[in-house]
Amino acid sequence: MEKIVDIGFETIHLGHGSGGELTRKLLDSIIFKTFSNPFLDQKHDGSIVEFDKKIAISTDSFVITPIFFKGGDIGSLAVHGTVNDVAMCGAIPKYLSLAFIIEEGLKVVDFVKVVQSIKKAADESGVLIITGDTKVVERGKGDKIFINTTGFGEMHPKANISVNNIKEGDKIIINGNIAQHGMAIMSEREGLEFESTIESDSTNLNYLVTDLLDKFGHKIKMFRDPTRGGLGTVLYEIANDVSKGVTLKEINIPLEKQVSAACEMLGLDPLYVANEGVFIVVIDPDIEDEVLKLMRNHQKGINTAVIGEFTNEHPNKVVMESLIGGKRIVSPLMGEQLPRIC
């Protein structure tokens, strides 16, 4: 971690949110120093950028606890989550806004870790932090730190992402193991130990999405990332949006053994556990083999699999063929299964 020199304080208190000299010292020594670029260096209330085409905008707030976990932290999660949401629209992420709500008493060393994690994740995702905000709330009125990010991206010229494009026979492909993120958070909270460490799958997916659009264009019908609510809820929502059925094959859904064991131990269904590095892509069936080859050759798609398809049978329902040959209806998540996972 980069050493912060001459800050003069070890914890953040209410004065750092006053808008005065302490605020300026906090911003100059940590925020502006870390994210320095021509847009942010103007230190204005906002930034002016140019786009030559349609843009996609997505915003999200991150309130996870604990703020540091195996495989990531609230900082990298805030970047990955919003970058991926922009990418799911068929856009190429370019810029992020960044807003902090910090609870009085947060250790500066922890804040610096989060900020530097954001910087690393933004660099890896190819996006710039161009504007933001910092507020400090009283002790007990927050949970260490909350983060809001808003992402902006140019639409890919070949993208035509819409549920209205989905037809019977279209294939559903997933890029990796499900339930990693939620179980990494839950196992850490519960102090569960396994033969191997369960790590969050939090990562940026925008480069893989761009590669798919570059090659296959309009034959890519839809992208979605199954974060809160998990894979089961997302597929249910799509099935209802297009008034078609989804046939799902449990045997094809990639799931790491340790994650499966953790879910079983806690009585959780991995279909409803959150993901942060997984997305589904709905494609024309005639490009299935080519898509699988491209995705499996990508670092973020090694475990890619075809998990199902759309059908005119059982409209508005997701029916999963189980490992033992039976069938069951996959309903949406009811209530909150895992609190504070993003």
Side-chain angles (χ1 to χ4, degrees):
M1 184 183 69
E2 182 182 348
K3 184 178 181 181
I4 302 298
V5 181
D6 296 329
I7 288 185
F9 50 88
E10 294 183 354
T11 60
I12 294 172
H13 53 83
L14 287 176
H16 291 109
S18 67
E21 181 60 26
L22 287 176
T23 301
R24 176 55 55 186
K25 183 176 289 189
L26 179 71
L27 296 180
D28 284 345
S29 60
I30 300 177
I31 303 299
F32 290 123
K33 180 179 178 182
T34 301
F35 300 116
S36 177
N37 64 64
F39 299 101
L40 197 63
D41 291 348
Q42 297 179 42
K43 300 182 180 180
H44 200 274
D45 286 340
S47 290
I48 300 172
V49 297
E50 292 186 6
F51 288 94
D52 296 328
K53 58 189 75 172
K54 289 182 180 179
I55 66 171
I57 303 172
S58 182
T59 191
D60 206 347
S61 298
F62 299 84
V63 296
I64 193 168
T65 183
I67 62 172
F68 300 105
F69 48 85
K70 295 179 179 70
D73 56 62
I74 192 172
S76 58
L77 184 66
V79 174
H80 294 153
T82 297
V83 162
N84 292 345
D85 284 345
V86 171
M88 294 302 107
C89 297
I92 302 169
K94 287 183 172 290
Y95 305 112
L96 288 182
S97 71
L98 174 66
F100 296 107
I101 297 177
I102 305 169
E103 184 183 21
E104 179 186 20
L106 179 70
K107 297 294 184 183
V108 168
V109 65
D110 288 338
F111 183 53
V112 171
K113 287 179 182 178
V114 169
V115 168
Q116 291 182 348
S117 179
I118 291 171
K119 170 64 173 172
K120 182 174 183 291
D123 288 347
E124 291 173 349
S125 303
V127 297
L128 289 177
I129 309 295
I130 62 169
T131 190
D133 184 49
T134 301
K135 294 290 190 297
V136 180
V137 297
E138 296 174 359
R139 195 184 301 268
K141 297 295 179 67
D143 190 1
K144 294 185 178 179
I145 185 170
F146 299 151
I147 301 176
N148 173 271
T149 47
T150 299
F152 305 82
E154 287 188 346
M155 291 300 298
H156 191 288
K158 294 183 178 180
N160 184 21
I161 306 302
S162 171
V163 292
N164 297 325
N165 296 331
I166 296 175
K167 296 181 172 59
E168 182 181 23
D170 284 347
K171 301 295 184 179
I172 303 167
I173 295 178
I174 196 164
N175 71 305
N177 299 334
I178 67 168
Q180 293 281 146
H181 177 71
M183 293 318 302
I185 302 304
M186 199 63 174
S187 61
E188 197 154 325
R189 284 188 199 143
E190 300 297 326
L192 302 179
E193 297 196 10
F194 302 92
E195 293 179 6
S196 62
T197 301
I198 298 175
E199 292 190 356
S200 169
D201 63 342
S202 180
T203 192
N204 63 297
L205 300 167
N206 51 315
Y207 295 125
L208 176 52
V209 167
T210 298
D211 287 348
L212 286 166
L213 289 172
D214 283 344
K215 185 165 184 179
F216 302 109
H218 68 277
K219 290 192 175 183
I220 301 292
K221 307 295 185 70
M222 190 173 199
F223 297 113
R224 281 288 294 273
D225 55 343
T227 51
R228 285 181 299 174
L231 178 64
T233 299
V234 162
L235 291 176
Y236 174 85
E237 290 172 351
I238 297 173
N240 278 265
D241 288 342
V242 299
S243 298
K244 295 188 183 301
V246 169
T247 300
L248 200 58
K249 294 184 181 295
E250 184 177 15
I251 195 170
N252 290 350
I253 299 174
L255 178 65
E256 202 272 330
K257 289 183 179 180
Q258 294 296 327
V259 173
S260 178
C263 287
E264 186 174 352
M265 184 179 298
L266 295 172
L268 301 173
D269 187 335
L271 285 178
Y272 301 108
V273 177
N275 311 275
E276 288 293 348
V278 168
F279 72 104
I280 61 169
V281 52
V282 179
I283 65 165
D284 209 294
D286 65 3
I287 61 170
E288 177 181 337
D289 291 341
E290 295 177 85
V291 169
L292 288 174
K293 181 178 179 181
L294 185 152
M295 293 181 69
R296 288 170 178 169
N297 285 332
H298 196 284
Q299 181 185 2
K300 306 295 174 68
I302 295 171
N303 295 312
T304 292
V306 180
I307 60 172
E309 65 179 55
F310 285 89
T311 175
N312 287 332
E313 299 177 16
H314 52 80
N316 304 314
K317 292 184 175 64
V318 179
V319 177
M320 186 167 74
E321 298 176 5
S322 70
L323 294 172
I324 60 174
K327 294 182 178 180
R328 73 175 175 99
I329 300 294
V330 176
S331 303
L333 176 65
M334 303 300 292
E336 185 67 31
Q337 187 179 45
L338 293 176
R340 306 294 293 278
I341 46 78
C342 65

